Amino acid sequence: MMKTQNNFNFKKLTVPVVVMLAFWGLGLWGFVASGYIQPVIMFGYIGTALGVGLGLYETLPKQKKPVGRRLTLFLVGLFLMVIAIFMSRENVQIEGAIFGLLTGVIQMGVIHYVIAKIIGPLLFGRMWCGWACWTVMVLDLLPFKRPSGRLPRRFGWFRYLHFGLSLGIVLLLIYGVGFRAGASGSIAVTWFIIGNLLYYAVGIVLAYTLKDNRAFCKYVCPVSVPLKITSRFSLIKIGGEAAKCNDCGACVKMCPMDIRIPEYILHNERVLSTECSLCQTCITVCAPEALKLSFGFDVGGKELLREQSA
Ligand code: SF4
Ligand code: SF4
Ligand code: SF4
């Protein structure tokens, strides 16, 4: 009888399984903290979708790997939008979450922000940005996947201005005008829909202007502000083996966030940039297989980014 070889490496599934279990755990914690069942349904579903997508990414052949990430972006992004608009009737954009926090309306928007964008990134960094964001779900379909570098660093500050503006508008509406219905209800849902359409419009115009699908993330998105704070402590980051890296630069050319990856790896550091979305494109294109997802503790915030030459 002929023997069949089974070379499947189950270690590859460590990160997908850990992420999936972490989301289920976060959902249960949300249930205990809030008394609502929604966190279990929401984070259980998201964790399962992420686990499936990450698992596919790990196991599919190289040229098919992006399928796993695209699938997860749509599974999670569309799910959250449908729940927010048709079921919980909420604004789950950042202004809605701030409204909810300040007016005591602790619903999906607030729980989503606290767990996915403040506490969760301590484990999985900005995986939200690579695998789940409904804005990038659309922007990643555009043709500019290989940016030619960032605008000078000062343009990145616009995100902080945007965050301050969002916060200021909510404070003005609550404490200046007495308007408190920005978290849930028909006005909140309308705000969410119009806000998202604006994000898509600005994101598409910027992508075509700067030839960069991720221009909105790099210069405009206010959500990156809280994400950058806690993701610096992320236990999961891109790691690598300096001995295997030949400094060919292939990963830098393909990194959608313009991170100078080998400069970390060759100094025996993990990728410490808070711009990393853990999309894993760099791992896929690295021929000597010098890169991998890794667990560990280190403090990020060291930003080595490729800027456009003048
Ligand atoms: S930076 Fe903003 S738009 Fe970009 S992926 Fe992250 S949350 Fe989405
Ligand atoms: S693609 Fe791999 S070998 Fe080439 S620079 Fe990046 S990490 Fe090093
Ligand atoms: S460093 Fe790698 S995982 Fe991080 S954004 Fe760049 S390509 Fe994606």
Side-chain angles (χ1 to χ4, degrees):
M1 214 163 72
M2 228 168 57
K3 280 188 181 170
T4 53
Q5 272 194 326
N6 184 2
N7 291 328
F8 187 77
N9 181 0
F10 283 95
K11 265 188 161 178
K12 284 181 171 182
L13 297 180
T14 306
V15 170
V17 170
V18 167
V19 169
M20 181 158 66
L21 292 178
F23 266 87
W24 277 97
L26 285 169
L28 286 171
W29 176 79
F31 170 66
V32 172
S34 69
Y36 293 109
I37 191 67
Q38 286 94 328
V40 180
I41 298 169
M42 189 168 82
F43 287 102
Y45 173 88
I46 293 172
T48 306
L50 274 171
V52 169
L54 285 164
L56 281 173
Y57 200 94
E58 291 294 337
T59 50
L60 285 173
K62 275 197 173 186
Q63 63 277 18
K64 294 199 175 143
K65 282 187 186 294
V67 171
R69 201 172 64 81
R70 290 267 158 71
L71 178 73
T72 310
L73 274 169
F74 276 90
L75 283 177
V76 178
L78 279 181
F79 169 79
L80 289 176
M81 289 183 96
V82 167
I83 295 260
I85 294 171
F86 298 107
M87 296 175 75
S88 66
R89 309 279 302 151
E90 282 184 68
N91 178 5
V92 287
Q93 277 201 314
I94 195 160
E95 296 85 6
I98 300 172
F99 257 114
L101 273 175
L102 295 179
T103 58
V105 181
I106 308 298
Q107 295 198 76
M108 175 181 150
V110 172
I111 296 167
H112 163 70
Y113 266 82
V114 170
I115 294 183
K117 290 161 181 172
I118 297 174
I119 296 174
L122 293 170
L123 170 65
F124 45 75
R126 288 181 63 175
M127 200 171 267
W128 167 265
C129 294
W131 294 79
C133 172
W134 55 73
T135 307
V136 147
M137 169 185 86
V138 171
L139 298 181
D140 262 8
L141 298 175
L142 300 176
F144 312 109
K145 294 179 177 46
R146 293 176 61 173
S148 56
R150 292 186 172 226
L151 297 175
R153 193 159 288 206
R154 63 181 180 279
F155 287 93
W157 283 97
F158 191 75
R159 295 175 288 188
Y160 296 89
L161 284 178
H162 189 174
F163 182 83
L165 189 66
S166 296
L167 180 63
I169 287 173
V170 176
L171 290 176
L172 185 70
L173 285 172
I174 294 177
Y175 300 110
V177 186
F179 175 77
R180 301 173 68 84
S184 66
S186 54
I187 294 178
V189 171
T190 308
W191 186 326
F192 177 58
I193 294 170
I194 293 175
N196 267 321
L197 291 175
L198 273 174
Y199 276 21
Y200 289 138
V202 172
I204 290 168
V205 168
L206 274 178
Y208 274 89
T209 307
L210 299 173
K211 307 279 180 278
D212 182 354
N213 284 357
R214 291 279 182 155
F216 183 83
C217 305
K218 294 170 190 171
Y219 313 118
V220 180
C221 181
V223 182
S224 60
V225 174
L227 278 167
K228 281 168 75 67
I229 295 171
T230 45
S231 66
R232 67 178 55 208
F233 303 103
S234 174
L235 297 180
I236 299 177
K237 289 189 176 84
I238 300 292
E241 290 178 60
K244 284 189 181 174
C245 174
N246 58 23
D247 205 9
C248 67
C251 53
V252 186
K253 274 191 205 129
M254 290 305 292
C255 173
M257 299 305 282
D258 300 308
I259 298 168
R260 303 195 322 247
I261 300 148
E263 291 180 43
Y264 298 97
I265 303 306
L266 291 170
H267 287 92
N268 295 310
E269 292 172 326
R270 299 198 295 164
V271 172
L272 298 176
S273 170
T274 57
E275 295 292 292
C276 177
S277 65
L278 290 178
C279 68
Q280 302 184 50
T281 305
C282 51
I283 298 178
T284 311
V285 300
C286 178
E289 300 188 349
L291 301 172
K292 62 178 183 193
L293 278 184
S294 68
F295 288 96
F297 181 76
D298 44 19
V299 180
K302 179 178 174 184
E303 306 296 351
L304 300 174
L305 304 174
R306 184 170 61 124
E307 289 184 10
Q308 288 175 8
S309 40

